[in-house]
Amino acid sequence: MRAVIVREPGAPESMVLADLPLPVPGPGEVLVRVQAAGVNRPDLMQRKGLYPPPPGASPLLGLEIAGEVVGKGPDAADWPAIGTPVCALANGGGYAEYCAVPAGQCLPWPDGFDAIRAAALPETFFTVWSNLVMTAHVAAGETVLIHGGAGGIGTAAIQTVRALGAVPYVTVGSADKAALCRKLGAEAAIDYREEDFVARIDALTGRRGVDVVLDVIGGPYLDRNLRCLAPGGRLVIIALQGGAKAQEVGVGRILTRHLTVAGTTLRPRDGAYKARVAKGLRGTLWPKLSDGTIAPLIHATFPLAEVVEAHKLMESGSHSGKIVLDLR
């Protein structure tokens, strides 16, 4: 099969196509002929040598795929059967023509979806569901601040928050991205280049603060995120795009306002946890994807041979929504 390999950790140009043996599905796994694969920030970090795959995972890049099941390993579940079109959260190996994935991490294509749209779902919606629902326990009527609202995670989070009956606010880096987020359902979009998002949240919530903050920036935003939270609020940190170091943090606020701070990463979680996420998604958000109530936002597609350009686009930060590799 053709697959993307990283010759040495570094720039996008370190990725090249190579001919590799097909993966062999292990116990509980299925083999998928990949038709499309999503590009995500963890892929960029792994390419740079900053996010090594967990033990036993494929060393190849790629954490979400869509395609057709063509083989099964020992003790694989009856579903998905051979021939079934699926999208899946992979543990690695998605940038290739074939990928072995645990059966419990597979989901059917929503009605009317093709491979490109289906491949844009797993990493973002698994991440959003596991953090907003399973970690932060967002409830109807609550308010949620989502940083990076126009990205793949952000656009999925806006729609998920609305589907849960809660109210999303977002931060973005341009007027165009703000307009896009409002169109997707954001109650307000705050341009962090022009406004102090803490002051804006204070005004938007009548000085109460939001119930939940979903953060991808990390250290530089820690104190400001805490200042945005209402009493009993929850901060969930899922990435460190701004760095891991925080300075001058008012930790006393955590105690006096009864705040919760959680940090999560999805990839090292075990298969049983990821299967629970898949089950939750299939029962709640997948019907809304099928009827068009919510939808993935696709910014651009690239053939597998142009993976370098796909990574450069993601690193530029100019995209809104998902970047997908087309292997059809």
Side-chain angles (χ1 to χ4, degrees):
M1 67 175 184
R2 292 187 309 156
V4 174
I5 62 170
V6 180
R7 289 175 299 183
E8 59 183 18
E13 289 80 6
S14 64
M15 297 181 296
V16 296
L17 282 177
D19 291 322
L20 299 178
L22 268 66
V24 177
E29 293 185 332
V30 296
L31 181 65
V32 177
R33 180 174 61 82
V34 179
Q35 298 175 28
V39 176
N40 295 283
R41 289 200 176 273
D43 304 338
L44 276 60
M45 294 173 61
Q46 183 176 335
R47 188 203 75 221
K48 296 175 182 178
L50 303 176
Y51 191 40
S58 170
L60 301 179
L61 301 179
L63 298 176
E64 61 183 346
I65 60 169
E68 179 186 354
V69 176
V70 295
K72 305 186 81 167
D75 303 320
D78 292 338
W79 192 91
I82 290 176
T84 302
V86 297
C87 55
L89 182 73
N91 297 329
Y95 290 13
E97 292 178 322
Y98 292 84
C99 182
V101 297
Q105 294 168 210
C106 294
L107 286 161
W109 292 5
D111 295 345
F113 274 53
D114 62 4
I116 297 295
R117 297 184 78 213
L121 300 175
E123 173 69 11
T124 48
F125 280 95
F126 270 72
T127 297
V128 167
W129 187 263
S130 67
N131 285 289
L132 290 181
V133 176
M134 298 172 69
T135 301
H137 306 291
V138 172
E142 291 193 314
T143 51
V144 182
L145 173 61
I146 303 158
H147 290 301
I153 296 292
T155 53
I158 291 168
Q159 297 178 84
T160 299
V161 168
R162 280 296 184 189
L164 295 169
V167 179
Y169 303 113
V170 300
T171 60
V172 294
S174 71
D176 288 346
K177 290 182 177 181
L180 169 66
C181 291
R182 287 193 294 268
K183 184 177 179 180
L184 288 173
E187 188 76 10
I190 305 163
D191 187 338
Y192 65 85
R193 300 179 191 274
E194 303 290 337
E195 300 180 86
D196 176 358
F197 69 79
V198 179
R200 185 73 189 283
I201 288 295
D202 200 44
L204 287 166
T205 62
R207 305 193 69 179
R208 176 181 178 274
V210 294
D211 297 292
V212 173
V213 175
L214 185 66
D215 179 49
V216 295
I217 303 301
Y221 273 16
L222 180 55
D223 187 66
R224 282 180 281 174
N225 283 334
L226 295 175
R227 287 158 52 201
C228 283
L229 285 172
R234 291 90 75 195
L235 165 63
V236 184
I237 303 168
I238 63 171
L240 302 172
Q241 293 178 21
K245 300 294 184 181
Q247 296 180 344
E248 299 182 3
V249 178
V251 176
R253 182 178 294 268
I254 299 174
L255 279 66
T256 59
R257 294 176 72 83
H258 307 111
L259 307 180
T260 300
V261 179
T264 74
T265 55
L266 182 58
R267 191 176 187 184
R269 296 274 196 173
D270 61 31
Y273 178 88
K274 294 173 184 176
R276 291 198 300 274
V277 179
K279 184 178 179 180
L281 287 170
R282 188 168 183 175
T284 53
L285 296 190
W286 249 236
K288 295 181 182 297
L289 287 159
S290 290
D291 68 19
T293 303
I294 61 177
L297 179 67
I298 310 293
H299 180 87
T301 63
F302 294 85
L304 187 65
E306 295 180 15
V307 64
V308 169
E309 297 308 314
H311 272 225
K312 286 181 177 180
L313 174 59
M314 176 159 279
E315 287 187 332
S316 75
S318 62
H319 64 292
S320 297
K322 294 290 296 186
I323 300 169
V324 179
L325 300 174
D326 190 346
L327 286 80
R328 294 174 296 182

